[in-house]
Amino acid sequence: MSHTTHPPLFSAAFKTDPYPTYAHFRDTQPVRRETLPDGRPLWLVTRYDDVIAAFKDPRLVKNPASAMPPEALSQLPRGREAFRVLSHHMLSSDPPDHTRLRRLVSRAFTPRYVEQMRPRVQAIADDLIDRMAEGNQGDLIEQLAFPLPITVISDMLGVPHEDRERFRTWSNIIVSVNPFEPQTFQSTADDLVAFTQYFRDLIAEKRARPTDDLTSELIHATDEGDALNEDELLSMMFLLLVAGHETTVNLIGNGTLALLTHPDQLAHLRADPTLIESAVEELLRYDGPVETSTMRWAAEDVQLGGATIPRGEAVLVVIASADRDPERFKRPEDLDITRAMNRHVAFGHGIHYCLGAPLARLEGQVAIGTLLQRFPDLRLDVRPEELQWRPGMLIRGLWHLPVRW
Ligand code: HEM
């Protein structure tokens, strides 16, 4: 279904159900120029084929300095300065820096390496679900979806357990920044400074007393030569931590919600738990955690989907729209946990394809699989239309998911 009028982009009304708006965009102007409140343009790419082309296009770069002259660069909103120290990571770099940074950590995220973590991930999930089982109602985000991925990534990075709540507050604010409301940039600067200081202290601690974790390994790579400088090290940890828990939380949250609102699919999965892998792929496609890509910049004029994106302008690839494109997926509005040919783009595509995909899949399968097994009568404790979606463009996720069991 395609709507001709739509709520303002990324407003609360829009976030409740962005899919009809995206359908309208695909039908009318699939590569579409929007204007930010400060007058700067932002291009949205909404059809599956164009989304794949955009993800693969080396002219759509991550580093704005490669796409615009210094005068234009200095016009970018001031708040970005606070991000600068944390922005020397692979997701904001182009080759050759991107290649070097990604290679340094890719070993820790291969499917084989990640599979060895299954017993630990299962133990964390069991422990959280045991605690839920002491009651009969609660918030699934609070009790399972948030603590599972942050515990796993904090373990990998060697972040002390007692600091996790602080991370939640900071990173919630940081990923909720809305480019349509530039004032939100300024309000996050203090959080970023606090976040950065925390990492500096952690690095100093690990440098003095190395342990068996990814942070100590990365410090070793930094100290051994020019593989990684101090800002890149800080940025790498920031990226892994934020990417590692802001997203998987919402795979577990949005995924459980989709199952609870599609009782036939839920019953099918309960009847055949071996479908969990294919179910998680479908949950990623149907209502995935990442709504749009991160920002890219046209390094030259780029023709795409009948439009010309001029050099220097910003582009967002709309993952949530591509994954509902009827040109690519049969009956895209249906949730079908046995869907074949499910080549969704929930993890992106091309050189920035999600490094953590094997880990996210493992966490999603373990969390949702165990939850259904342990609570045979799990149900929503609120009407779906009462649920509140978090603001911002990048992330699609719920503040709370009240359930009963
Ligand atoms: C269901 C959970 C997840 C989803 C849906 C997801 C999605 C994505 C997407 C769409 C991108 C590409 C963004 C772009 O091109 O603009 C990305 C990149 C990335 N993700 Fe994930 N992610 C998830 C979990 C994780 C986890 C658990 C980690 C690590 C612990 C992680 C680490 C990364 C990193 C490091 C990148 C940047 C890769 C690069 O620039 O080469 N992600 N992710």
Side-chain angles (χ1 to χ4, degrees), residues 268-401:
H268 196 162
L269 182 55
R270 284 193 184 284
D272 182 1
T274 65
L275 287 174
I276 189 70
E277 281 181 29
S278 130
V280 165
E281 294 313 303
E282 176 66 347
L283 297 170
L284 282 161
R285 181 199 71 83
Y286 180 78
D287 202 11
V290 177
E291 186 163 336
T292 71
S293 72
T294 54
M295 204 82 93
R296 281 161 172 74
W297 308 88
E300 53 186 82
D301 291 358
V302 173
Q303 312 277 336
L304 188 65
T308 302
I309 304 173
R311 176 176 179 222
E313 295 195 356
V315 181
L316 281 183
V317 176
V318 188
I319 290 173
S321 175
D323 279 344
R324 296 274 189 116
D325 186 344
E327 299 283 317
R328 175 71 210 190
F329 300 99
K330 226 161 90 188
R331 302 164 67 98
E333 310 298 328
D334 291 356
L335 181 74
D336 173 4
I337 62 162
T338 63
R339 186 180 288 275
M341 293 293 294
N342 194 355
R343 293 180 71 87
H344 61 73
V345 284
F347 290 119
H349 188 78
I351 62 167
H352 295 284
Y353 178 81
C354 179
L355 176 79
L359 179 59
R361 288 186 159 115
L362 172 67
E363 290 175 353
Q365 291 162 13
V366 167
I368 296 174
T370 311
L371 188 67
L372 297 185
Q373 190 197 342
R374 292 282 300 276
F375 299 137
D377 61 346
L378 185 74
R379 58 202 183 277
L380 274 183
D381 200 16
V382 63
R383 283 183 294 131
E385 53 280 15
E386 288 171 57
L387 292 166
Q388 303 271 322
W389 295 87
R390 290 172 45 178
M393 317 167 73
L394 185 65
I395 293 292
R396 176 148 180 82
L398 294 163
W399 284 116
H400 303 285
L401 181 57

